[in-house]
Amino acid sequence: MKTEDILVELKDLSSNSQVTTEELMKILKKYARIISVQDLMMASVRMRKDGEFVQTQYREKFLKIYIKYFLMRMKEVKENDYYINKPIDKIAFDESFPMLKRTFEKERLADDDEEDKFPLIYVITALYTTFILEEPIHPVGSEFPGNLSVEEKNGIFYCPVKENQKDNINAICNLCLAEQTPDI
């Protein structure tokens, strides 16, 4: 089993008239099991390197949140047997596939290492967070320049930068269920 095989399985799942959380979790768990502690450590190194471009005052918070929520989700995916089996938003799932495929390929090219599991971790985390947990991809509390952050009000998630990414076809924000923070 190769990491990119997840894209084939997701595409096959997308051909169903309905997709359930149980069907999606079977795929996510299957691929999360091939991610080792060493793979997570390498992904952490890569994220820290990418974090060098984040403004200094946000860098440590950025790394703490992203490493916790991005990498530690793999353990959660492997162990989560307590989700509610229900249909997921089929339209959003179908629309996510081309973006996830582009992201997977872009992340694979960034390291040019066939064994690198970062693209797989990225896809699993995005799908798990969006369709199983029904949470925004940037966790509540994620800070952005201008002292802005992702927040939840009355069960609705708001992101201050979502609109900034609407024309970026590769932005994971297009998959995220958060809405643009009003008045920003």
Side-chain angles (χ1 to χ4, degrees):
M1 175 169 58
K2 297 184 288 186
T3 59
E4 60 269 14
D5 292 344
I6 193 171
L7 299 173
V8 174
E9 291 194 41
L10 292 170
K11 187 68 172 169
D12 289 346
L13 184 59
S14 181
S15 68
N16 295 346
S17 61
Q18 177 179 305
V19 177
T20 65
T21 53
E22 181 177 25
E23 293 168 317
L24 180 57
M25 276 300 286
K26 282 181 184 178
I27 294 171
L28 299 181
K29 283 176 174 277
K30 175 181 176 179
Y31 286 91
R33 285 187 195 106
I34 68 170
I35 297 169
S36 69
V37 172
Q38 182 176 346
D39 295 326
L40 293 173
M41 289 171 43
M42 295 305 294
S44 175
V45 167
R46 184 168 172 180
M47 291 178 79
R48 288 187 181 283
K49 185 177 178 190
D50 290 347
E52 292 173 2
F53 301 105
V54 175
Q55 293 177 0
T56 307
Q57 70 258 33
Y58 297 103
R59 187 175 303 135
E60 283 309 310
K61 289 179 184 178
F62 165 85
L63 291 172
K64 182 179 178 184
I65 285 176
Y66 284 94
I67 289 172
K68 176 182 177 183
Y69 285 96
F70 190 79
L71 299 179
M72 296 302 117
R73 289 272 195 228
M74 291 306 96
K75 181 178 188 290
E76 192 177 320
V77 169
K78 292 177 195 177
E79 297 174 356
N80 186 348
D81 293 323
Y82 302 104
Y83 55 89
I84 297 170
N85 185 29
K86 62 182 182 179
I88 64 171
D89 182 340
K90 178 82 164 75
I91 294 170
F93 181 75
D94 291 347
E95 289 175 354
S96 75
F97 185 77
M99 186 266 309
L100 289 172
K101 184 176 184 208
R102 282 190 306 273
T103 300
F104 187 96
E105 291 167 353
K106 180 184 83 161
E107 294 298 338
R108 170 63 51 84
L109 289 173
D111 198 17
D112 200 29
D113 179 1
E114 294 267 331
E115 299 301 315
D116 181 21
K117 300 278 189 353
F118 187 82
L120 179 62
I121 295 167
Y122 197 95
V123 167
I124 291 171
T125 300
L127 291 170
Y128 178 73
T129 304
T130 302
F131 295 109
I132 305 299
L133 299 179
E134 297 179 324
E135 295 176 359
I137 292 173
H138 290 102
V140 171
S142 296
E143 290 187 29
F144 296 94
N147 291 324
L148 303 171
S149 64
V150 175
E151 52 191 8
E152 178 184 6
K153 292 180 183 172
N154 300 318
I156 299 172
F157 298 101
Y158 294 99
C159 177
V161 299
K162 181 146 181 158
E163 284 293 314
N164 296 347
Q165 298 298 325
K166 69 180 178 189
D167 295 329
N168 180 351
I169 63 169
N170 294 318
I172 199 76
C173 301
N174 294 317
L175 173 63
C176 185
L177 52 80
E179 297 179 15
Q180 172 65 39
T181 304
D183 302 323
I184 292 186

Short mmCIF file of all heavy atoms in Angstrom, two decimals, residues 90-124:
data_model
loop_
_atom_site.label_atom_id
_atom_site.label_comp_id
_atom_site.label_asym_id
_atom_site.label_seq_id
_atom_site.Cartn_x
_atom_site.Cartn_y
_atom_site.Cartn_z
N LYS A 90 -22.12 15.23 1.22
CA LYS A 90 -21.60 14.62 -0.01
C LYS A 90 -21.06 15.66 -0.98
O LYS A 90 -20.02 15.46 -1.61
CB LYS A 90 -22.70 13.78 -0.66
CG LYS A 90 -22.32 13.14 -1.97
CD LYS A 90 -21.56 11.85 -1.76
CE LYS A 90 -21.50 11.00 -3.00
NZ LYS A 90 -20.61 11.44 -4.03
N ILE A 91 -21.74 16.76 -1.10
CA ILE A 91 -21.30 17.81 -2.02
C ILE A 91 -19.94 18.36 -1.58
O ILE A 91 -19.01 18.47 -2.38
CB ILE A 91 -22.35 18.94 -2.14
CG1 ILE A 91 -23.62 18.39 -2.80
CG2 ILE A 91 -21.79 20.12 -2.92
CD1 ILE A 91 -24.81 19.31 -2.75
N ALA A 92 -19.81 18.67 -0.30
CA ALA A 92 -18.53 19.18 0.21
C ALA A 92 -17.43 18.13 0.06
O ALA A 92 -16.30 18.45 -0.29
CB ALA A 92 -18.66 19.59 1.68
N PHE A 93 -17.76 16.87 0.31
CA PHE A 93 -16.78 15.79 0.16
C PHE A 93 -16.33 15.69 -1.28
O PHE A 93 -15.13 15.64 -1.57
CB PHE A 93 -17.37 14.46 0.65
CG PHE A 93 -16.41 13.31 0.56
CD1 PHE A 93 -15.38 13.19 1.46
CD2 PHE A 93 -16.55 12.36 -0.44
CE1 PHE A 93 -14.48 12.12 1.38
CE2 PHE A 93 -15.67 11.29 -0.53
CZ PHE A 93 -14.63 11.17 0.38
N ASP A 94 -17.28 15.67 -2.21
CA ASP A 94 -16.93 15.57 -3.63
C ASP A 94 -16.10 16.77 -4.09
O ASP A 94 -15.14 16.62 -4.84
CB ASP A 94 -18.19 15.48 -4.49
CG ASP A 94 -18.93 14.16 -4.31
OD1 ASP A 94 -18.36 13.21 -3.71
OD2 ASP A 94 -20.09 14.07 -4.75
N GLU A 95 -16.46 17.95 -3.61
CA GLU A 95 -15.73 19.16 -3.99
C GLU A 95 -14.34 19.20 -3.37
O GLU A 95 -13.45 19.86 -3.90
CB GLU A 95 -16.52 20.41 -3.58
CG GLU A 95 -17.76 20.61 -4.43
CD GLU A 95 -18.62 21.78 -3.98
OE1 GLU A 95 -18.33 22.38 -2.91
OE2 GLU A 95 -19.61 22.07 -4.67
N SER A 96 -14.14 18.49 -2.27
CA SER A 96 -12.84 18.50 -1.60
C SER A 96 -11.81 17.67 -2.34
O SER A 96 -10.61 17.93 -2.23
CB SER A 96 -12.96 17.99 -0.16
OG SER A 96 -13.12 16.58 -0.13
N PHE A 97 -12.26 16.69 -3.09
CA PHE A 97 -11.32 15.75 -3.68
C PHE A 97 -10.28 16.40 -4.60
O PHE A 97 -9.09 16.15 -4.42
CB PHE A 97 -12.05 14.61 -4.41
CG PHE A 97 -11.10 13.58 -4.92
CD1 PHE A 97 -10.54 12.65 -4.07
CD2 PHE A 97 -10.71 13.57 -6.24
CE1 PHE A 97 -9.62 11.73 -4.52
CE2 PHE A 97 -9.79 12.65 -6.72
CZ PHE A 97 -9.25 11.72 -5.85
N PRO A 98 -10.66 17.22 -5.56
CA PRO A 98 -9.62 17.82 -6.43
C PRO A 98 -8.60 18.66 -5.64
O PRO A 98 -7.41 18.61 -5.91
CB PRO A 98 -10.42 18.71 -7.40
CG PRO A 98 -11.79 18.14 -7.39
CD PRO A 98 -12.00 17.59 -6.00
N MET A 99 -9.08 19.40 -4.63
CA MET A 99 -8.18 20.23 -3.84
C MET A 99 -7.24 19.35 -3.01
O MET A 99 -6.04 19.62 -2.93
CB MET A 99 -9.00 21.15 -2.93
CG MET A 99 -8.18 22.16 -2.16
SD MET A 99 -7.70 21.62 -0.52
CE MET A 99 -9.23 21.09 0.17
N LEU A 100 -7.76 18.28 -2.42
CA LEU A 100 -6.91 17.38 -1.64
C LEU A 100 -5.87 16.70 -2.52
O LEU A 100 -4.73 16.53 -2.12
CB LEU A 100 -7.76 16.33 -0.91
CG LEU A 100 -8.59 16.86 0.25
CD1 LEU A 100 -9.54 15.77 0.75
CD2 LEU A 100 -7.72 17.38 1.37
N LYS A 101 -6.26 16.36 -3.73
CA LYS A 101 -5.33 15.72 -4.67
C LYS A 101 -4.21 16.71 -5.03
O LYS A 101 -3.03 16.35 -5.01
CB LYS A 101 -6.06 15.26 -5.92
CG LYS A 101 -5.16 14.51 -6.88
CD LYS A 101 -5.92 13.96 -8.06
CE LYS A 101 -4.96 13.15 -8.91
NZ LYS A 101 -5.28 13.11 -10.28
N ARG A 102 -4.58 17.96 -5.34
CA ARG A 102 -3.56 18.97 -5.66
C ARG A 102 -2.64 19.21 -4.47
O ARG A 102 -1.42 19.31 -4.61
CB ARG A 102 -4.23 20.30 -6.06
CG ARG A 102 -4.77 20.33 -7.46
CD ARG A 102 -5.19 21.74 -7.87
NE ARG A 102 -6.12 22.37 -6.95
CZ ARG A 102 -7.44 22.24 -7.00
NH1 ARG A 102 -8.00 21.48 -7.93
NH2 ARG A 102 -8.21 22.86 -6.14
N THR A 103 -3.22 19.28 -3.29
CA THR A 103 -2.43 19.51 -2.07
C THR A 103 -1.48 18.36 -1.84
O THR A 103 -0.31 18.55 -1.52
CB THR A 103 -3.37 19.71 -0.87
OG1 THR A 103 -4.19 20.84 -1.12
CG2 THR A 103 -2.58 19.93 0.41
N PHE A 104 -1.98 17.14 -1.99
CA PHE A 104 -1.15 15.95 -1.81
C PHE A 104 0.04 16.00 -2.76
O PHE A 104 1.19 15.81 -2.35
CB PHE A 104 -1.98 14.69 -2.07
CG PHE A 104 -1.27 13.41 -1.74
CD1 PHE A 104 -1.45 12.80 -0.51
CD2 PHE A 104 -0.43 12.81 -2.66
CE1 PHE A 104 -0.81 11.62 -0.20
CE2 PHE A 104 0.23 11.63 -2.36
CZ PHE A 104 0.04 11.03 -1.12
N GLU A 105 -0.24 16.28 -4.02
CA GLU A 105 0.83 16.33 -5.02
C GLU A 105 1.80 17.47 -4.76
O GLU A 105 3.02 17.31 -4.90
CB GLU A 105 0.23 16.42 -6.42
CG GLU A 105 -0.49 15.13 -6.80
CD GLU A 105 -1.38 15.25 -8.02
OE1 GLU A 105 -1.58 16.38 -8.54
OE2 GLU A 105 -1.91 14.20 -8.45
N LYS A 106 1.29 18.63 -4.37
CA LYS A 106 2.14 19.78 -4.07
C LYS A 106 3.05 19.48 -2.87
O LYS A 106 4.25 19.76 -2.90
CB LYS A 106 1.29 21.02 -3.78
CG LYS A 106 2.09 22.27 -3.46
CD LYS A 106 1.19 23.42 -3.09
CE LYS A 106 0.87 23.25 -1.65
NZ LYS A 106 0.40 24.28 -0.85
N GLU A 107 2.50 18.89 -1.83
CA GLU A 107 3.29 18.56 -0.64
C GLU A 107 4.32 17.47 -0.96
O GLU A 107 5.42 17.48 -0.44
CB GLU A 107 2.40 18.12 0.52
CG GLU A 107 1.51 19.21 1.06
CD GLU A 107 2.26 20.40 1.63
OE1 GLU A 107 3.43 20.24 2.02
OE2 GLU A 107 1.68 21.50 1.68
N ARG A 108 3.96 16.56 -1.84
CA ARG A 108 4.90 15.49 -2.23
C ARG A 108 6.07 16.10 -2.99
O ARG A 108 7.22 15.75 -2.78
CB ARG A 108 4.15 14.47 -3.09
CG ARG A 108 4.97 13.42 -3.79
CD ARG A 108 5.74 12.44 -2.90
NE ARG A 108 5.04 11.77 -1.86
CZ ARG A 108 4.32 10.67 -1.95
NH1 ARG A 108 4.16 10.09 -3.11
NH2 ARG A 108 3.76 10.15 -0.91
N LEU A 109 5.79 17.05 -3.88
CA LEU A 109 6.85 17.69 -4.65
C LEU A 109 7.75 18.56 -3.78
O LEU A 109 8.94 18.71 -4.06
CB LEU A 109 6.26 18.55 -5.76
CG LEU A 109 5.61 17.79 -6.92
CD1 LEU A 109 4.91 18.76 -7.86
CD2 LEU A 109 6.65 16.97 -7.67
N ALA A 110 7.19 19.12 -2.71
CA ALA A 110 7.96 20.01 -1.84
C ALA A 110 9.14 19.29 -1.21
O ALA A 110 10.18 19.89 -0.95
CB ALA A 110 7.06 20.61 -0.76
N ASP A 111 8.98 18.01 -0.95
CA ASP A 111 10.06 17.26 -0.30
C ASP A 111 10.72 16.29 -1.26
O ASP A 111 11.81 15.81 -1.01
CB ASP A 111 9.52 16.50 0.91
CG ASP A 111 10.61 16.08 1.85
OD1 ASP A 111 11.72 16.61 1.76
OD2 ASP A 111 10.36 15.19 2.69
N ASP A 112 10.04 15.97 -2.35
CA ASP A 112 10.57 15.07 -3.38
C ASP A 112 11.04 13.74 -2.78
O ASP A 112 12.05 13.19 -3.18
CB ASP A 112 11.71 15.75 -4.14
CG ASP A 112 11.95 15.09 -5.50
OD1 ASP A 112 10.98 14.54 -6.06
OD2 ASP A 112 13.11 15.11 -5.97
N ASP A 113 10.27 13.26 -1.81
CA ASP A 113 10.60 11.99 -1.15
C ASP A 113 9.36 11.11 -1.17
O ASP A 113 8.37 11.41 -0.52
CB ASP A 113 11.05 12.26 0.29
CG ASP A 113 11.39 11.00 1.06
OD1 ASP A 113 11.30 9.90 0.49
OD2 ASP A 113 11.73 11.12 2.24
N GLU A 114 9.42 10.04 -1.91
CA GLU A 114 8.28 9.12 -2.05
C GLU A 114 7.86 8.53 -0.71
O GLU A 114 6.72 8.14 -0.54
CB GLU A 114 8.64 7.99 -3.02
CG GLU A 114 8.86 8.44 -4.44
CD GLU A 114 7.61 8.35 -5.28
OE1 GLU A 114 6.76 7.50 -5.01
OE2 GLU A 114 7.49 9.16 -6.22
N GLU A 115 8.78 8.46 0.24
CA GLU A 115 8.48 7.86 1.55
C GLU A 115 7.90 8.88 2.54
O GLU A 115 7.46 8.50 3.61
CB GLU A 115 9.75 7.23 2.14
CG GLU A 115 10.33 6.13 1.28
CD GLU A 115 9.35 4.98 1.04
OE1 GLU A 115 8.70 4.54 2.00
OE2 GLU A 115 9.24 4.56 -0.13
N ASP A 116 7.93 10.15 2.19
CA ASP A 116 7.45 11.20 3.08
C ASP A 116 5.95 11.03 3.31
O ASP A 116 5.17 10.98 2.36
CB ASP A 116 7.75 12.57 2.46
CG ASP A 116 7.29 13.72 3.32
OD1 ASP A 116 7.11 13.53 4.54
OD2 ASP A 116 7.11 14.82 2.77
N LYS A 117 5.54 10.98 4.56
CA LYS A 117 4.13 10.76 4.90
C LYS A 117 3.40 12.09 5.16
O LYS A 117 2.21 12.09 5.46
CB LYS A 117 4.01 9.86 6.12
CG LYS A 117 4.62 8.47 5.95
CD LYS A 117 3.71 7.53 5.25
CE LYS A 117 4.13 6.09 5.21
NZ LYS A 117 5.40 5.66 5.68
N PHE A 118 4.10 13.21 5.07
CA PHE A 118 3.46 14.50 5.34
C PHE A 118 2.21 14.71 4.48
O PHE A 118 1.17 15.11 5.01
CB PHE A 118 4.45 15.66 5.17
CG PHE A 118 3.89 16.97 5.59
CD1 PHE A 118 3.89 17.33 6.93
CD2 PHE A 118 3.35 17.85 4.66
CE1 PHE A 118 3.37 18.55 7.33
CE2 PHE A 118 2.82 19.06 5.05
CZ PHE A 118 2.83 19.42 6.40
N PRO A 119 2.25 14.46 3.17
CA PRO A 119 1.03 14.66 2.38
C PRO A 119 -0.13 13.78 2.86
O PRO A 119 -1.28 14.23 2.88
CB PRO A 119 1.45 14.26 0.96
CG PRO A 119 2.93 14.44 0.95
CD PRO A 119 3.38 14.09 2.33
N LEU A 120 0.16 12.58 3.26
CA LEU A 120 -0.88 11.67 3.77
C LEU A 120 -1.44 12.20 5.09
O LEU A 120 -2.67 12.22 5.28
CB LEU A 120 -0.29 10.27 3.96
CG LEU A 120 -1.25 9.21 4.51
CD1 LEU A 120 -2.42 8.99 3.56
CD2 LEU A 120 -0.50 7.91 4.75
N ILE A 121 -0.57 12.64 5.98
CA ILE A 121 -1.02 13.20 7.25
C ILE A 121 -1.92 14.40 7.00
O ILE A 121 -2.96 14.57 7.64
CB ILE A 121 0.20 13.59 8.12
CG1 ILE A 121 0.99 12.35 8.51
CG2 ILE A 121 -0.24 14.37 9.37
CD1 ILE A 121 2.37 12.64 9.09
N TYR A 122 -1.53 15.21 6.05
CA TYR A 122 -2.29 16.42 5.70
C TYR A 122 -3.71 16.06 5.26
O TYR A 122 -4.69 16.63 5.73
CB TYR A 122 -1.54 17.14 4.58
CG TYR A 122 -1.94 18.57 4.36
CD1 TYR A 122 -1.22 19.59 4.95
CD2 TYR A 122 -3.00 18.91 3.53
CE1 TYR A 122 -1.56 20.93 4.74
CE2 TYR A 122 -3.34 20.22 3.32
CZ TYR A 122 -2.62 21.23 3.92
OH TYR A 122 -2.96 22.54 3.71
N VAL A 123 -3.83 15.09 4.36
CA VAL A 123 -5.14 14.68 3.84
C VAL A 123 -5.99 14.06 4.94
O VAL A 123 -7.17 14.40 5.10
CB VAL A 123 -4.97 13.70 2.65
CG1 VAL A 123 -6.28 13.02 2.29
CG2 VAL A 123 -4.40 14.43 1.44
N ILE A 124 -5.41 13.17 5.73
CA ILE A 124 -6.16 12.52 6.81
C ILE A 124 -6.66 13.55 7.80
O ILE A 124 -7.83 13.54 8.19
CB ILE A 124 -5.29 11.45 7.52
CG1 ILE A 124 -5.03 10.27 6.58
CG2 ILE A 124 -5.97 10.98 8.80
CD1 ILE A 124 -4.01 9.27 7.11
#
